[in-house]
Amino acid sequence: MEVIEVPGYTQEEKVQIALRHLLPKQLEQHGLTSDHLKLPPETIARIAGSYTREAGVRNLERVVGSVCRAIAVKVAEGQGGRLEDEGQAVEKSASPIVVTEDMLEELLGPRRYEHELSERLTRPGVAVGLAWTAMGGEILFVEASRMPGTGELTLTGQLGDVMKESARIALNWLRSCASLYRLSCDHLDSTDIHIHFPAGAVGKDGPSAGVTIVTVLASLFSGRCVRSDTAMTGEVTLRGMVLPVSGQHSCYHRRGLLLCSYRR
């Protein structure tokens, strides 16, 4: 029996599906029209990224329905769509209520999913990789630290054998090229290195973390931070070559990454 894999929607595709299909359907079900409510594309993108995390759009439709119910209550109470936007009351009696990103917490509550790229990448030894999932892709943080010891390499985060091999390959390649890239790899025999993949309850395996581990170790040895808008994936060989990968198209779109370093 052949297994047919169906990829998840990208962020842009979800926004268009919501604008063309989900929003008109929910407006009709809640007795509203476009004269009552407007959802800009950027607001829908924030809903998809901060309140849902899925391959399809089922939960996105539910959340859009929650917004419509909240607006329908305002209209039924005769408040003319009075909402708080950045501390100021917004009166929408004669024109449609435009739900901005700042209004979402009032209507839907706190964000369910936080994007922590810029917060996590404020020190050397941290980088972002890309991982394939059923939702179309996910980011994967990799952290590394060094300490006095006996030259031991510690790997944590419920890693498979392939990822453990990738970490050893990355470390050995950097040691062989340390002088070329001006990295402080001296005295590694008396230094322990710890590489950790957060979310330790989730098993992780595959060769594509190689280039991310190389970047993490290079950041650690050079003392320079990795850019917070850059994620990467790809297997690294002992010669330093990055092998082709695929299947990460929707991950960096959803996370708002500006750059995605991988070979196809």
Side-chain angles (χ1 to χ4, degrees), residues 11 15 37-51 67 83-86 97-111 115:
Q11 185 89 313
V15 170
L37 171 64
K38 294 289 186 182
L39 271 181
E42 56 270 17
T43 302
I44 297 177
R46 173 63 66 87
I47 292 174
S50 299
Y51 291 90
V67 173
L83 293 174
E84 296 294 329
D85 187 2
E86 295 184 349
I97 299 174
V98 180
V99 179
T100 65
E101 298 179 44
D102 298 319
M103 298 178 184
L104 289 180
E105 289 202 11
E106 178 191 348
L107 299 175
L108 301 174
R111 290 183 293 180
H115 301 321

Side-chain angles (χ1 to χ4, degrees), residues 127-130 208 211-212 215 226 230-234 259-262:
V128 182
L130 297 174
S208 297
V211 66
T212 310
T215 305
V226 180
T230 305
M232 62 211 75
T233 182
L259 299 175
C260 181
S261 303
Y262 65 94

Side-chain angles (χ1 to χ4, degrees), residues 227-249:
R227 289 180 54 168
S228 62
D229 60 355
T230 305
M232 62 211 75
T233 182
E235 180 180 359
V236 171
T237 70
L238 272 177
R239 294 180 295 163
M241 298 182 62
V242 180
L243 302 183
V245 296
S246 61
Q248 310 293 341
H249 69 288

Side-chain angles (χ1 to χ4, degrees), residues 116 120 138-141 143 156-159 196-204:
E116 49 185 354
R120 292 283 289 269
E138 188 56 84
I139 65 170
L140 186 69
F141 286 98
E143 303 171 347
T156 55
Q158 198 178 155
L159 308 182
H196 177 62
F197 289 74
V202 180
K204 311 170 189 69

Side-chain angles (χ1 to χ4, degrees), residues 152-212:
E152 181 180 357
L153 174 62
T154 303
L155 303 172
T156 55
Q158 198 178 155
L159 308 182
D161 292 336
V162 177
M163 291 189 72
K164 294 177 181 177
E165 292 177 356
S166 296
R168 295 186 179 93
I169 291 173
L171 178 59
N172 290 336
W173 180 78
L174 275 179
R175 293 179 66 178
S176 66
C177 302
S179 59
L180 177 63
Y181 295 103
R182 300 179 182 178
L183 302 177
S184 58
C185 295
D186 300 333
H187 311 297
L188 280 183
D189 292 337
S190 58
T191 302
D192 288 347
I193 297 176
H194 188 166
I195 301 176
H196 177 62
F197 289 74
V202 180
K204 311 170 189 69
D205 202 7
S208 297
V211 66
T212 310

